[in-house]
Amino acid sequence: VQLQASGGGLVQAGGSLRLSCVASGSIFGIRHVAWYRQVPEKQRELVALLNTIGAGSTIYADAVQGRFTISRDNAKNTVYLEMNGLKPEDTARYYCNMAITTASNVPYSYFGQGTQVTVSS
Protein backbone atom coordinates (compact mmCIF):
# COMPACT_ATOMS: atom_id res chain seq x y z
CA VAL A 1 0.00 0.00 0.00
CA GLN A 2 1.23 3.46 -0.89
CA LEU A 3 -0.15 6.92 -0.23
CA GLN A 4 0.65 9.77 -2.61
CA ALA A 5 -0.07 13.31 -1.45
CA SER A 6 -0.23 16.41 -3.62
CA GLY A 7 -1.59 19.94 -3.69
CA GLY A 8 0.84 21.80 -1.47
CA GLY A 9 2.49 25.05 -2.47
CA LEU A 10 3.10 28.68 -1.65
CA VAL A 11 0.08 30.86 -0.93
CA GLN A 12 -0.53 34.27 0.59
CA ALA A 13 -2.23 34.63 3.93
CA GLY A 14 -5.99 34.40 3.53
CA GLY A 15 -5.68 32.13 0.53
CA SER A 16 -6.80 28.57 -0.03
CA LEU A 17 -5.30 25.24 -0.98
CA ARG A 18 -6.70 21.78 -1.51
CA LEU A 19 -4.56 18.80 -0.61
CA SER A 20 -5.22 15.36 -2.06
CA CYS A 21 -3.94 11.93 -1.10
CA VAL A 22 -4.51 8.77 -3.11
CA ALA A 23 -4.05 5.27 -1.72
CA SER A 24 -3.01 2.44 -4.02
CA GLY A 25 -2.22 -1.22 -3.61
CA SER A 26 -4.06 -4.11 -2.02
CA ILE A 27 -6.84 -2.29 -0.18
CA PHE A 28 -9.80 -4.10 1.31
CA GLY A 29 -11.11 -1.28 3.45
CA ILE A 30 -10.21 2.05 4.99
CA ARG A 31 -11.06 2.59 8.66
CA HIS A 32 -10.16 6.24 8.93
CA VAL A 33 -8.41 8.98 7.00
CA ALA A 34 -6.50 11.89 8.48
CA TRP A 35 -4.08 14.72 7.88
CA TYR A 36 -1.15 15.59 10.13
CA ARG A 37 1.37 18.40 9.87
CA GLN A 38 4.87 18.92 11.11
CA VAL A 39 7.33 21.80 11.30
CA PRO A 40 11.05 21.32 11.90
CA GLU A 41 12.00 20.39 15.46
CA LYS A 42 8.38 19.89 16.51
CA GLN A 43 6.24 16.80 16.84
CA ARG A 44 3.81 15.85 14.13
CA GLU A 45 0.32 17.01 15.07
CA LEU A 46 -3.13 15.90 14.03
CA VAL A 47 -4.93 18.41 11.83
CA ALA A 48 -8.10 16.53 10.92
CA LEU A 49 -9.49 13.01 11.05
CA LEU A 50 -12.50 11.42 9.42
CA ASN A 51 -13.88 8.11 10.63
CA THR A 52 -15.21 5.98 7.82
CA ILE A 53 -17.19 3.70 10.10
CA GLY A 54 -20.64 4.60 11.32
CA ALA A 55 -21.74 8.20 11.03
CA GLY A 56 -18.40 9.38 9.73
CA SER A 57 -17.45 11.62 12.61
CA THR A 58 -14.70 14.18 12.22
CA ILE A 59 -12.12 15.68 14.52
CA TYR A 60 -10.30 18.95 13.90
CA ALA A 61 -7.46 20.62 15.71
CA ASP A 62 -8.62 23.77 17.46
CA ALA A 63 -6.24 25.83 15.34
CA VAL A 64 -7.97 24.86 12.08
CA GLN A 65 -11.57 24.41 13.20
CA GLY A 66 -13.88 26.30 10.88
CA ARG A 67 -11.20 26.86 8.24
CA PHE A 68 -10.21 23.34 7.14
CA THR A 69 -12.47 20.55 5.89
CA ILE A 70 -11.54 16.90 5.49
CA SER A 71 -13.42 14.71 3.04
CA ARG A 72 -12.97 11.51 1.08
CA ASP A 73 -13.93 9.88 -2.18
CA ASN A 74 -14.56 6.20 -1.47
CA ALA A 75 -14.48 5.13 -5.10
CA LYS A 76 -11.07 6.74 -5.63
CA ASN A 77 -9.49 5.82 -2.27
CA THR A 78 -8.71 9.50 -1.93
CA VAL A 79 -8.78 11.90 0.99
CA TYR A 80 -8.86 15.68 0.65
CA LEU A 81 -8.09 18.59 2.91
CA GLU A 82 -9.70 21.86 1.89
CA MET A 83 -7.83 24.71 3.58
CA ASN A 84 -9.31 28.20 3.61
CA GLY A 85 -8.26 31.36 5.38
CA LEU A 86 -4.69 30.18 5.54
CA LYS A 87 -2.38 31.79 8.08
CA PRO A 88 1.44 31.90 8.26
CA GLU A 89 1.26 29.56 11.26
CA ASP A 90 -0.28 26.91 8.99
CA THR A 91 3.09 26.62 7.26
CA ALA A 92 4.21 23.00 7.63
CA ARG A 93 4.69 19.74 5.83
CA TYR A 94 1.35 17.99 5.64
CA TYR A 95 1.08 14.20 5.79
CA CYS A 96 -1.94 12.11 4.92
CA ASN A 97 -2.69 9.04 6.98
CA MET A 98 -5.03 6.11 6.45
CA ALA A 99 -5.83 3.05 8.52
CA ILE A 100 -6.14 0.40 5.82
CA THR A 101 -7.15 -3.23 6.03
CA THR A 102 -5.75 -5.75 3.59
CA ALA A 103 -6.69 -9.41 3.09
CA SER A 104 -5.95 -10.21 6.72
CA ASN A 105 -8.60 -7.70 7.84
CA VAL A 106 -6.11 -6.22 10.28
CA PRO A 107 -5.84 -2.43 9.97
CA TYR A 108 -2.42 -0.91 9.46
CA SER A 109 -1.56 2.77 9.60
CA TYR A 110 0.06 4.26 6.52
CA PHE A 111 1.51 7.72 5.94
CA GLY A 112 2.15 9.51 2.69
CA GLN A 113 5.40 11.26 1.86
CA GLY A 114 4.09 14.68 2.76
CA THR A 115 3.46 17.85 0.82
CA GLN A 116 4.81 21.27 1.80
CA VAL A 117 2.45 24.15 2.51
CA THR A 118 3.97 27.61 2.90
CA VAL A 119 1.84 30.63 3.76
CA SER A 120 3.38 34.06 3.35
CA SER A 121 2.28 37.06 5.37
Side-chain angles (χ1 to χ4, degrees), residues 1 3 29-32 97-111:
V1 175
L3 305 186
I30 299 176
R31 298 285 182 90
H32 74 250
N97 167 253
M98 297 188 192
I100 294 173
T101 56
T102 57
S104 65
N105 204 34
V106 175
Y108 290 93
S109 182
Y110 295 90
F111 279 89

Side-chain angles (χ1 to χ4, degrees), residues 9-17 37 39 45 61-68 82-94 116-121:
L10 174 64
V11 63
Q12 288 188 334
S16 300
L17 282 174
R37 67 186 182 187
V39 297
E45 64 174 1
D62 290 344
V64 308
Q65 182 76 47
R67 298 187 296 121
F68 291 11
E82 188 75 37
M83 305 186 295
N84 299 312
L86 283 161
K87 304 175 181 180
E89 50 264 43
D90 293 319
T91 295
R93 191 162 186 85
Y94 285 71
Q116 180 67 35
V117 172
T118 302
V119 184
S120 63
S121 57

Side-chain angles (χ1 to χ4, degrees), residues 1-120:
V1 175
Q2 289 187 329
L3 305 186
Q4 180 69 44
S6 61
L10 174 64
V11 63
Q12 288 188 334
S16 300
L17 282 174
R18 188 192 197 204
L19 306 183
S20 302
C21 178
V22 182
S24 61
S26 180
I27 300 170
F28 276 54
I30 299 176
R31 298 285 182 90
H32 74 250
V33 295
W35 288 94
Y36 288 76
R37 67 186 182 187
Q38 188 172 22
V39 297
E41 301 183 351
K42 287 193 175 182
Q43 286 190 334
R44 191 173 295 185
E45 64 174 1
L46 177 67
V47 175
L49 182 145
L50 170 62
N51 281 308
T52 61
I53 299 174
S57 59
T58 56
I59 298 172
Y60 292 96
D62 290 344
V64 308
Q65 182 76 47
R67 298 187 296 121
F68 291 11
T69 303
I70 187 171
S71 62
R72 66 172 291 196
D73 184 326
N74 295 342
K76 297 180 179 180
N77 289 332
T78 300
V79 59
Y80 304 98
L81 185 68
E82 188 75 37
M83 305 186 295
N84 299 312
L86 283 161
K87 304 175 181 180
E89 50 264 43
D90 293 319
T91 295
R93 191 162 186 85
Y94 285 71
Y95 296 87
C96 57
N97 167 253
M98 297 188 192
I100 294 173
T101 56
T102 57
S104 65
N105 204 34
V106 175
Y108 290 93
S109 182
Y110 295 90
F111 279 89
Q113 85 287 3
T115 183
Q116 180 67 35
V117 172
T118 302
V119 184
S120 63

